[in-house]
């Protein structure tokens, strides 16, 4: 089903608010737990999602030296989530160490290994910011592709990229490389801080495996109606 490709972001500040959304949006099968909620609620929220047979994207965006990201990934792998993230800019050695640690942690916990995917360029970063603020002398699409290829060479399962880079990454990295697109915005939703966006239908057509959608659903006056509207738009477009 098309709406199985939508990961709804639980970007709320506490466990109570998260559970209220999970219960309100019963037909959502895949949820993202990010830094804000995990820092507040800890692994308890993962247990809540698992008790409801939900898939989990643990989006903590690890970024550190190889030894530290390996330790973090080994611990996180024990939760048995479906997807987890690390910044590609941690470097190839850290990516390799993290991938090995995910396998080790899963074996220790007796769970299926999480798919480890690399953050290429945050969707809040524009080409101008990449060049002027971060001093990266490469065009943004090329830089995102370079980060994805480094992750693929390090053995990672996929990458996170904006919808605007997904076509190129799909063509170069192949069909088995998981591509997750955050920053997706329906035409009727506010852009917020997203700089490089497409509509959900456009992002899937461009080659995304999964779409991460948060505020257009969770901050809507009626989240259930927003969820249904996006699901219907995707069904119509496919």
């Amino acid at each position: 089903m098309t709406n199985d490709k939508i990961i709804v972001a639980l970007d709320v500040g506490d466990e109570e608010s998260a559970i209220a959304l999970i219960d309100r949006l019963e037909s959502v099968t895949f949820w993202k737990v990010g830094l804000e909620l995990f820092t507040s609620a800890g692994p308890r929220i993962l247990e809540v999602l698992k008790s409801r047979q939900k898939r989990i994207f643990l989006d903590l965006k690890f970024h550190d030296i190889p030894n530290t990201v390996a330790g973090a990934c080994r611990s996180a792998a024990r939760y048995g989530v479906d997807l987890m993230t690390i910044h590609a800019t941690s470097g190839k050695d850290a990516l390799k160490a993290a991938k090995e640690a995910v396998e080790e942690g899963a074996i220790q916990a007796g769970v299926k290994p999480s798919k480890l995917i690399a953050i290429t360029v945050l969707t809040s970063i524009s080409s101008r910011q990449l060049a002027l603020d971060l001093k990266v002398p490469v065009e943004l699409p090329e830089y995102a592709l370079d980060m994805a290829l480094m992750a693929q060479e390090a053995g990672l399962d996929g990458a996170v990229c904006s919808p605007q880079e997904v076509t190129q990454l799909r063509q170069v990295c192949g069909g088995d490389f998981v591509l997750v697109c955050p920053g997706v915005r329906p035409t009727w939703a506010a852009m917020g801080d997203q700089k490089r966006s497409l509509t959900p239908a456009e992002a899937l057509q461009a080659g995304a495996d999964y779409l991460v959608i948060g505020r257009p659903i969770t901050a809507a006056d009626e989240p259930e109606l927003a969820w249904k509207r996006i699901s219907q738009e995707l069904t119509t477009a496919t």
Side-chain angles (χ1 to χ4, degrees):
M1 293 177 63
T2 306
N3 60 6
D4 289 342
K5 293 180 175 291
I6 303 173
I7 303 173
V8 178
L10 269 176
D11 291 338
V12 294
D14 57 76
E15 183 178 351
E16 183 179 359
S17 300
I19 292 173
L21 265 176
I22 295 165
D23 289 341
R24 193 169 182 180
L25 295 168
E26 289 183 329
S27 60
V28 173
T29 61
F30 211 154
W31 291 93
K32 188 198 84 162
V33 174
L35 282 170
E36 181 182 9
L37 180 56
F38 194 80
T39 301
S40 170
R44 289 191 310 275
I45 191 61
L46 307 181
E47 295 169 4
V48 169
L49 288 164
K50 282 182 171 292
S51 72
R52 289 162 168 77
Q53 289 77 52
K54 305 298 186 182
R55 301 178 71 196
I56 303 170
F57 174 23
L58 184 60
D59 186 26
L60 301 182
K61 297 183 176 70
F62 296 129
H63 191 184
D64 215 309
I65 63 172
N67 186 64
T68 301
V69 292
C73 285
R74 188 177 297 108
S75 295
R78 296 174 185 141
Y79 299 135
V81 299
D82 297 273
L83 298 172
M84 52 193 292
T85 48
I86 181 174
H87 271 285
T89 49
S90 298
K92 188 180 290 187
D93 288 346
L95 297 179
K96 288 180 177 178
K99 177 62 176 175
E100 292 172 2
V102 167
E103 303 288 340
E104 293 168 2
I107 290 171
Q108 291 169 2
V111 297
K112 182 180 178 180
S114 307
K115 289 187 181 298
L116 182 63
I117 58 179
I119 306 294
T120 55
V121 184
L122 295 173
T123 54
S124 59
I125 300 292
S126 66
S127 296
R128 179 179 175 82
Q129 289 171 316
L130 186 71
L132 298 183
D133 296 346
L134 302 183
K135 310 300 181 186
V136 175
V138 179
E139 292 296 323
L140 195 151
E142 181 183 350
Y143 183 71
L145 177 61
D146 288 343
M147 294 298 99
L149 286 172
M150 179 172 64
Q152 190 173 44
E153 291 168 5
L156 269 66
D157 301 288
V160 179
C161 66
S162 95
Q164 295 185 7
E165 289 96 57
V166 72
T167 296
Q168 184 182 28
L169 267 63
R170 175 61 68 215
Q171 291 172 346
V172 177
C173 297
D176 294 334
F177 198 62
V178 178
L179 294 177
V180 177
C181 288
V184 177
R185 290 289 183 268
T187 55
W188 42 266
M191 290 299 293
D193 53 6
Q194 302 301 332
K195 301 294 198 305
R196 307 186 328 274
S197 185
L198 291 178
T199 68
E202 289 170 338
L204 284 182
Q205 290 164 358
D209 290 299
Y210 297 103
L211 313 176
V212 179
I213 306 177
R215 283 166 286 182
I217 297 172
T218 58
D221 291 336
E222 298 182 83
E224 302 98 325
L225 291 180
W227 162 252
K228 289 178 181 177
R229 186 174 179 182
I230 291 173
S231 298
Q232 288 169 354
E233 288 177 3
L234 288 179
T235 301
T236 303
T238 55

